[in-house]
Amino acid sequence: MFGEYQGVAVIALMGLATYATRAGGFWLIQRMRPSRFLEVWLGQIPGAVFAALCAPLVLNSGPAGWIAGLLTLAVARLSGNFLAAMATGVAAIALLRLM
Amino acid sequence: MSETNSTPVLFTRAGIAAGALRTLPVATGGLAFGVFYGFLAGQNGLTLLETALMSAWVFAGASQFLSVELWGDPLPVGALIATVLVINARHILMGATLGPWLKHIPPWKAYGSLYFMTDESWGLSVADIRNGGRDAAFLLGSGLTLFLFWNTGTILGRIFGEMLPDLNRYGIDFLGTAFFVALLAGFWRGRGDLIPWIVAAAVALVMERYVPGTWYILGGALAGSLVGALRHVR
């Protein structure tokens, strides 16, 4: 309809929309003085984002994923080693799928 | 937070290197996902130019995977742009939390670094801020590393995708989940986090089931963080 570069044009718009979300939060926070509540709230966001992201991600990956997710969490908490936690999760799911 | 820290915020090459080094393990996973994305893009009819341009210019995994699924003839232009906006709306909250670093460096460096901000580089950066890190270039180093691996993977996947064996059997598909779970564990600060996290997870699970798209991340995060803030401030 818009020629062979329609896809490229749509991707250009998608990129602009994405950059607006990346830059927008910092732009806004500079233009309003954060209240005590806002500061506490922002501090709570990272954990909440990953809890919201992980819950369906783990639950939807089936029983093997539930066990591997729990093992990843346990190793991350106990050892504090990021790489070891990830390796444990991937190894666990690979083994569980073989069973 | 670290606002009370009087050490000045820097933007150095050492910071870029530190961010890059910290990101290498997950960037390897990003390469694998990039290959998968490139393969899927080819399957759904995107040209090499379109596939590569999307990874370089949109550079947001979840929205790219969904866009490629929606891709067709005629192109659903409105749906594509709206979907990308909705999925990436979480960046607005994320960018705001980087204020303790970004407001102390020149705007062009701040807005330049933000171009490369992803879930992964943001998560590692927020963790570094919380640990007293005062070099804002960490965000850029982390983002650039992911950018390099993601785009390399994309092009490899688009060109060589057809010859790939089934990697999922070896658990590589779980790498992303394992990464986010490990990252979540790092944000645990004590039992006060339990209720906000349960609220976030519960709202996300319900929304993921009943609300189309990926609003569930934003919905769960807002609900959980607001509950946490209300409990904390009162």
Side-chain angles (χ1 to χ4, degrees):
Chain A
M1 200 154 68
F2 300 103
E4 61 178 310
Y5 289 108
Q6 191 197 8
V8 170
V10 171
I11 291 166
L13 290 173
M14 285 164 51
L16 284 176
T18 304
Y19 184 67
T21 66
R22 287 192 162 114
F26 174 60
W27 189 86
L28 280 172
I29 205 77
Q30 280 182 304
R31 274 149 192 83
M32 46 185 199
R33 185 182 289 270
S35 63
R36 165 101 183 101
F37 178 80
L38 192 66
E39 268 182 39
V40 174
W41 182 33
L42 288 180
Q44 296 278 339
I45 288 174
V49 168
F50 287 110
L53 181 68
C54 286
L57 216 53
V58 172
L59 224 74
N60 292 341
S61 46
W66 306 341
I67 298 170
L70 272 176
L71 281 172
T72 308
L73 196 66
V75 172
R77 278 306 304 160
L78 296 176
S79 73
N81 187 326
F82 206 83
L83 196 60
M86 282 171 69
T88 303
V90 171
I93 202 147
L95 284 173
L96 286 163
R97 281 176 186 165
L98 287 177
M99 283 159 48
Chain B
M1 306 213 306
S2 48
E3 285 300 19
T4 49
N5 192 333
S6 56
T7 322
V9 171
L10 305 168
F11 193 92
T12 68
R13 276 190 200 170
I16 293 182
L21 206 66
R22 188 82 179 75
T23 309
L24 269 180
V26 68
T28 318
L31 183 88
F33 279 118
V35 169
F36 183 48
Y37 160 74
F39 169 72
L40 221 62
Q43 297 284 301
N44 286 286
L46 279 85
T47 64
L48 175 61
L49 174 69
E50 289 164 346
T51 307
L53 188 68
M54 202 192 285
S55 277
W57 180 236
V58 179
F59 184 45
S63 61
Q64 287 185 235
F65 277 107
L66 232 126
S67 303
V68 157
E69 277 302 310
L70 292 175
W71 209 262
D73 191 21
L75 270 184
V77 177
L80 276 171
I81 295 162
T83 307
V84 165
L85 252 181
V86 167
I87 296 178
N88 292 329
R90 69 185 188 285
H91 287 146
I92 296 170
L93 296 172
M94 289 158 53
T97 61
L98 293 173
W101 270 355
L102 298 181
K103 69 184 176 190
H104 296 296
I105 61 173
W108 71 275
K109 286 182 178 170
Y111 287 110
S113 298
L114 281 169
Y115 179 87
F116 298 98
M117 181 184 75
T118 64
D119 290 330
E120 295 86 351
S121 66
W122 170 77
L124 293 170
S125 297
V126 172
D128 195 62
I129 288 179
R130 199 156 277 164
N131 290 331
R134 299 297 279 172
D135 198 326
F138 184 100
L139 173 71
L140 180 63
S142 177
L144 278 175
T145 306
L146 288 160
F147 188 83
L148 191 74
F149 278 74
W150 176 248
N151 281 280
T152 304
T154 293
I155 292 167
L156 289 176
R158 180 64 183 79
I159 295 174
F160 300 107
E162 285 82 355
M163 308 171 211
L164 271 184
D166 181 15
L167 291 171
N168 288 357
R169 202 157 60 90
Y170 306 107
I172 297 301
D173 57 316
F174 197 71
L175 203 58
T177 303
F179 168 75
F180 287 118
V181 169
L183 202 59
L184 175 69
F187 283 112
W188 182 259
R189 282 168 300 172
R191 281 169 62 185
D193 285 332
L194 188 62
I195 289 174
W197 286 17
I198 289 174
V199 170
V203 170
L205 285 170
V206 172
M207 284 182 71
E208 194 245 355
R209 182 154 292 196
Y210 297 108
V211 181
T214 48
W215 282 106
Y216 69 93
I217 297 174
L218 199 62
L222 283 174
S225 59
L226 279 172
V227 165
L230 285 169
R231 282 165 54 86
H232 200 284
V233 165
R234 214 151 29 92

